[in-house]
Amino acid sequence: MSTADRLTDSLYGLGWSTVKKLPEPAAVRLGRTIADLAWKKRGKGVQRLESNYARVVPDATPERLAELSRAGMRSYLRYWMESFRLPAWSAERVRTGFDPKDIHFLTDGLASGRGVVLALPHLANWDLAGAWVTTKLGTPFTTVAERLKPETLYDRFVAYREGLGMEVLPHSGGSAFGTLARRLRDGGLVCLVADRDLSASGVEVDFFGETARMPAGPALLAQQTGALLVPVTLWYDESPVMKGRLHPPIEVPESGTRAEKTSVMTQALANAFATGIADHPEDWHMLQRLWLADLDPAKGPS
């Protein structure tokens, strides 16, 4: 393991061991302080966040974009402070920490026995939403995690999410799709963060007027298993309670090839994501390149 990898792993370990012991008000203050310091430094992540917001809010002035990026960094650090502390939250704190609208799209779908795919963008805190599902609804689910470097950091994330009641599969290795399909055919729940896919298998979509790629997996799983595909968007307000909305299920088109159906369904997913992101852009934690026009073939995605 390189020195940089060891440092990264140690910093995350420190976060989970130390931040979770802080009183909530202290954790909130710490998160805002770190966010404001990072924003003032205007590193690559902050600049990319601002560039992405410029597409979401195309008429924003430079001053408005700066305000948005500062709020975006505060939202991003709120996500991390909450995530570091989630393992120490009581069941009651988890149950009262999220207030989603139209949850019936999930509960009715599960009651029907069809299985449900919940697909989310990088909005607010998807880990908290997942913990609420396992705690408040008592519903286990399966998700996929990208293999991080160093491997010890990936192991930390898997242990963290499994501790919240999730079954976590590695993104690489090729067996994840089959396992997800089996869970859905058994009437289970799958949750996937699905607003960025830079692989060759990503589906091109129109996203805020420009071309981006999103993963084909959610649409393919719905087609192959008969599960419902339900978009979810999340946001923060000034309260300690995260808000969310489940959107109506995306139907499988009656005609067309598998690729054509996947394209139509993924575009519908992108449209639902865009609605939530446009309403709460500061809660979209996209600090990487997303649109194809931003990708430099010589350097690869970042």
Side-chain angles (χ1 to χ4, degrees):
M1 188 189 302
S2 70
T3 300
D5 284 348
R6 280 197 296 271
L7 178 60
T8 299
D9 184 57
S10 297
L11 287 173
Y12 279 99
L14 183 65
W16 267 299
S17 63
T18 303
V19 174
K20 72 179 181 182
K21 298 176 183 176
L22 293 175
E24 191 158 344
V28 170
R29 287 194 300 271
L30 177 61
R32 287 205 163 197
T33 299
I34 296 172
D36 289 349
L37 287 172
W39 178 76
K40 287 176 183 177
K41 287 185 177 180
R42 292 194 59 77
K44 287 184 178 180
V46 173
Q47 292 179 48
R48 175 54 54 192
L49 185 67
E50 212 162 279
S51 174
N52 290 339
Y53 286 160
R55 285 193 169 89
V56 175
V57 190
D59 58 348
T61 63
E63 292 77 16
R64 172 60 177 148
L65 287 175
E67 291 174 1
L68 271 176
S69 65
R70 184 179 189 183
M73 290 304 294
R74 287 185 169 188
S75 176
Y76 184 50
L77 264 294
R78 176 173 172 175
Y79 160 77
W80 278 113
M81 292 298 113
E82 286 180 349
S83 294
F84 286 143
R85 298 186 74 258
L86 260 177
W89 280 17
S90 68
E92 181 60 21
R93 178 69 182 89
V94 173
R95 283 192 291 266
T96 59
F98 180 40
D99 181 22
K101 299 177 181 177
D102 297 322
I103 194 66
H104 65 90
F105 288 128
L106 170 59
T107 54
D108 291 352
L110 291 174
S112 73
R114 288 181 61 182
V116 176
V117 179
L118 294 182
L120 308 86
H122 286 81
L123 274 169
N125 191 339
W126 47 96
D127 285 329
L128 172 55
W132 184 89
V133 167
T134 60
T135 305
K136 173 78 172 182
L137 301 184
T139 301
F141 66 87
T142 304
T143 189
V144 173
E146 181 181 356
R147 281 202 176 276
L148 302 170
K149 292 183 179 180
E151 190 77 12
T152 50
L153 180 58
Y154 170 76
D155 292 340
R156 286 185 190 275
F157 270 95
V158 170
Y160 156 65
R161 290 183 170 129
E162 288 179 342
L164 299 176
M166 311 175 192
E167 179 188 22
V168 183
L169 306 176
H171 185 271
S172 58
S175 63
F177 188 91
T179 302
L180 295 174
R182 286 194 295 274
R183 299 292 181 269
L184 292 168
R185 290 192 182 101
D186 289 339
L189 173 62
V190 165
C191 299
L192 300 171
V193 179
D195 57 344
R196 184 174 187 257
D197 186 344
L198 304 178
S199 71
S201 62
V203 178
E204 291 193 1
V205 295
D206 181 277
F207 197 51
F208 291 101
E210 291 193 46
T211 304
R213 285 197 195 103
M214 293 188 180
L220 287 172
L221 285 166
Q223 289 177 62
Q224 293 192 19
T225 68
L228 293 173
L229 175 55
V230 179
V232 182
T233 52
L234 310 171
W235 67 92
Y236 290 129
D237 56 19
E238 294 304 313
S239 78
V241 179
M242 183 176 71
K243 305 303 191 294
R245 175 190 172 199
L246 281 74
H247 299 250
I250 294 171
E251 299 293 335
V252 177
E254 294 183 0
S255 61
T257 64
R258 185 172 70 170
E260 289 168 344
K261 292 178 180 180
T262 300
S263 178
V264 169
M265 295 174 73
T266 306
Q267 183 63 62
L269 198 60
N271 293 345
F273 290 170
T275 298
I277 292 167
D279 286 344
H280 305 278
E282 67 279 4
D283 292 322
W284 189 41
H285 308 150
M286 186 55 66
L287 281 72
Q288 301 85 24
R289 294 183 179 98
L290 176 71
W291 283 273
L292 300 194
D294 289 338
L295 300 178
D296 182 351
K299 296 179 180 178
S302 65

